Amino acid sequence: APVLISILLGASFSRYQVEESVEHLLAPTHSLAKIERNLVDSLFPVNRSKHRLYSDLQTPGRYGRVIITSFRKANMLDQHHTELILKLHSAVTRIQVQRPGFNYTFAHICILNNDKTCIVDDIVHVLEELKAARSSNRTNFAITYPITHLKDGREVYNGHQLGGVTVHSKDRVKSAEAIQLTYYLQAINSLNDMVAEKWESIFCDTVELFQKSNRKVKMYPFTSSSLKEDFQKTSRVSERYLITSLVLVVTLAILCCSMQDCVRSKPWLGLLGLLTVTLATLTAAGIINLTGGKYNSTFLGIPFVMLGHGLYGTFEMLSSWRKTREDQHVKERTAAVFADSMLSFSLTTAMYLVTFGIGASPFTNIEAARIFCCNSCIAIFFNYLYVLSFYGSSLVFTGYIENNYQHSIFCRKVPKPEVLQEKPAWYRFLLTARFSEDTTDSEETNTYESHLLVWFLKRYYCDWITNTYVKPFVVLFYLVYISFALMGYLQVSEGSDLSNIVATATRTIEYTTAQQKYFSNYSPVIGFYIYESIEYWNTSVQEDVLEYTKGFVRISWFESYLNYLRKLNISTGLPKKNFTDMLRNSFLKAPQFAHFSEDIIFSKKYNNEVDVVASRMFLVAKTMETKREELYDLLETLRKLSLTSKVKFIVFNPSFVYMDRYASSVGAPLQNSCISALFLLFFSAFLVADSLINVWLTLTVASVEFGVIGFMTLWKVELDCISVLCLIYGINYTIDNCAPLLSTFVLGKEFTRTKWVKNALEVHGVAILQSYLCYIVGLIPLAAVPSNLTRTLFRCLFLIALVTFFHCFAILPVILTFLPPSKKKRKEKKNPENREEIECVEMVDMDSTRVVDQITTV
């Protein structure tokens, strides 16, 4: 039944869809920045933002962008490079997108100016004027940075168009190592958007082809589609590595379940355990497809979540099978296995469902995290059902094969030892088995102890880890572990950089690196939007507005406008009507206000009186290199100012959509999952046989999570969507592996702590070791995938597995030998000398009537 269900649901891959909106996945769902963007778009549409197209002014839309630099740090403003850049510009504007019946060029889909010409970056006009000045041998032409003036008198900002700038006195540019060009496109309907998307693709090809013919320069193209393509590229570049991982896990799972004894070896169960996990994952994927869900690259982590949980459950069942008596019937042995292993497996599965269920709830503000947790919940639920049914049935079949003394691989009846003696050596080696009747009283009755891992743990490791001379070194090592974890924990950083989730050898990474190298002196342009009608002619209002823009480089009309008012000496007491008339008549004629109307929205009232309902200016903050956190701090600072300001304003930049409350949005699933896990552990403390189990389990989970977060930071992994999902999984992975060990130890009576530590390791250590080896082998190929997303995934999952293994096989076995619970012997209720012995003799007569005669001896 599980196989048929998986096949039927797997057929839904014909409806397979890929999520194309990175913002939908990774930007906080409930974000104030999205509301601010809607307000900004309603007040100042992109097609009205003429000559204000700084880097992503208010909405990226469709665009093509390229950074041009030189391998030898040459001056990109010299004659040779200037002509080269203008040739590239000419080639870009000639790009054609062929559609049935019409060929679209840049002129057909660009954002238009008032004179119906395409708007291009002001740096193009600067280069054209520079070329004209050289042609006419004029030496008085100067470019200033970050603000320069064109020959038409306009004041333009070039801080994001000139990079690696060296200046003379008075901000005159001496040289520039990089130049950035941006081409904005219209996307007003579906056809226009389709043409623009195709134009972006041809744009990248054109730039790359242009570079091949000009190898002395280096060009970094980037478009609005690059991030989406590079995010999904992780899935494509991971395919062969995942296949390698699957082959390695299958091989090791088979080897871990194999023995030299051909009857008691269980290689098929190792393979079928992995198949169980695969069927559950396929079923979950089918359900997601049928319900309209879309695939994204974060789903690459789900097979590894399933691998850690599913394989451990199957290996634990196999370990329980080894403890059953071989002279029992298969039904009795199977019942013993389910009674011994399925209770703990059910509890850990419930923990997975609770923690990931909280992550899949509407409380999660990151859509990628919510979808991941939802898919994980479905896969884990079906994995539980399939372990009960599919794997349980497989265990029964192999049990019958073992009882009939059939070969574990070929299912052929194994001949008696006397018959084997007549066969060749290789034949005897393949059919080596121990028969029950051959076992004498002096020999060990448990034939499974010949398994390599069982033999290693029982004969060597258990005695070594509980040795008195080893314990101090383990405790010292744990103190070192805590120290380094604390050092990393204090340096945790939030990863809101989207380049952390894309493949490495991509346009996004190359462009982002170049952008950070050459254009990090100034932050992205921040729009300062006043969305109320205020008395602009009032001096106090002017001063209020200027007060909130102190400390920033002002790239706007506003400061110039205020200075112009002061020069005219009309800024105080100017009537409103005269002010608006002056705006429409006098100011619009001034050169510096040639595009003044782009930044003010006028509204006519019933008496033809004009009112200013909204206005904007642009702020650029001075930033440090590689300090993305400064932009986040700037956003928070401006937000606080907007709450206390006398003037109603908002600030906006498209990157704010991803950064807005990112830390709280990302950390919420982890926080909620931790709270739910702790609550579940606390509640179940009243249900389990001993509450100390949950106390130890809680302390162990806290220790593991603390260590993983600390070492994750030291390993250059930031706290982002992927790492948080891994940390949620880490809670469950720790409980999966540590809960059986702690239960066996705490519930043990009589003997000593050391004896019960050894017993717990012997009973559960093999299953933990088997699943750990398969898990690590499956993770290793992931480290070679050329993607930042899989790099984060590998590092986090590897640390979780390593730290949990360290706790299971070193920390807990040592600490439990000298900490509670106590293992004092229970006092006998009766004196041995006065013990009452009852001997029962059962006699059966010919009519099968049972008669019991009790002979009591005192």
Side-chain angles (χ1 to χ4, degrees), residues 312-335:
Y312 177 75
T314 57
F315 285 141
E316 187 69 25
M317 291 180 69
L318 188 54
S319 179
S320 298
W321 179 270
R322 295 193 192 99
K323 293 184 291 182
T324 58
R325 298 204 324 267
E326 292 187 356
D327 57 348
Q328 287 181 302
H329 192 271
V330 172
K331 289 184 179 181
E332 296 175 350
R333 297 182 74 178
T334 306

Side-chain angles (χ1 to χ4, degrees), residues 569-597:
N569 196 23
I570 58 173
S571 61
T572 304
L574 182 69
K576 179 178 179 181
K577 187 176 185 306
N578 293 344
F579 172 80
T580 53
D581 288 341
M582 180 177 60
L583 283 179
R584 287 183 297 174
N585 299 321
S586 176
F587 277 177
L588 291 179
K589 296 177 182 179
Q592 62 266 43
F593 302 114
H595 300 278
F596 187 82
S597 60

Side-chain angles (χ1 to χ4, degrees), residues 242-344:
L242 291 176
I243 293 174
T244 304
S245 177
L246 179 62
V247 172
L248 291 175
V249 173
V250 167
T251 304
L252 196 60
I254 292 174
L255 291 177
C256 285
C257 298
S258 300
M259 297 172 56
Q260 188 176 0
D261 192 319
C262 68
V263 172
R264 295 164 184 86
S265 180
K266 298 290 185 292
W268 285 115
L269 284 184
L271 179 61
L272 291 170
L274 191 60
L275 182 60
T276 304
V277 174
T278 305
L279 291 176
T281 308
L282 182 61
T283 302
I287 291 175
I288 293 293
N289 286 333
L290 288 175
T291 54
K294 296 182 179 180
Y295 173 84
N296 65 81
S297 291
T298 61
F299 283 10
L300 289 173
I302 293 179
F304 295 96
V305 170
M306 297 300 300
L307 185 65
H309 176 61
L311 274 189
Y312 177 75
T314 57
F315 285 141
E316 187 69 25
M317 291 180 69
L318 188 54
S319 179
S320 298
W321 179 270
R322 295 193 192 99
K323 293 184 291 182
T324 58
R325 298 204 324 267
E326 292 187 356
D327 57 348
Q328 287 181 302
H329 192 271
V330 172
K331 289 184 179 181
E332 296 175 350
R333 297 182 74 178
T334 306
V337 167
F338 275 74
D340 184 45
S341 61
M342 289 310 294
L343 178 61
S344 62

Side-chain angles (χ1 to χ4, degrees), residues 510-546:
E510 293 177 351
Y511 173 82
T512 303
T513 304
Q515 175 85 17
Q516 192 67 45
K517 180 178 180 181
Y518 296 108
F519 300 93
S520 60
N521 288 338
Y522 296 96
S523 71
V525 176
I526 300 171
F528 183 95
Y529 299 87
I530 300 174
Y531 59 93
E532 68 168 340
S533 179
I534 61 175
E535 299 178 346
Y536 290 91
W537 55 89
N538 193 309
T539 307
S540 61
V541 174
Q542 298 169 10
E543 296 300 330
D544 287 338
V545 175
L546 281 179

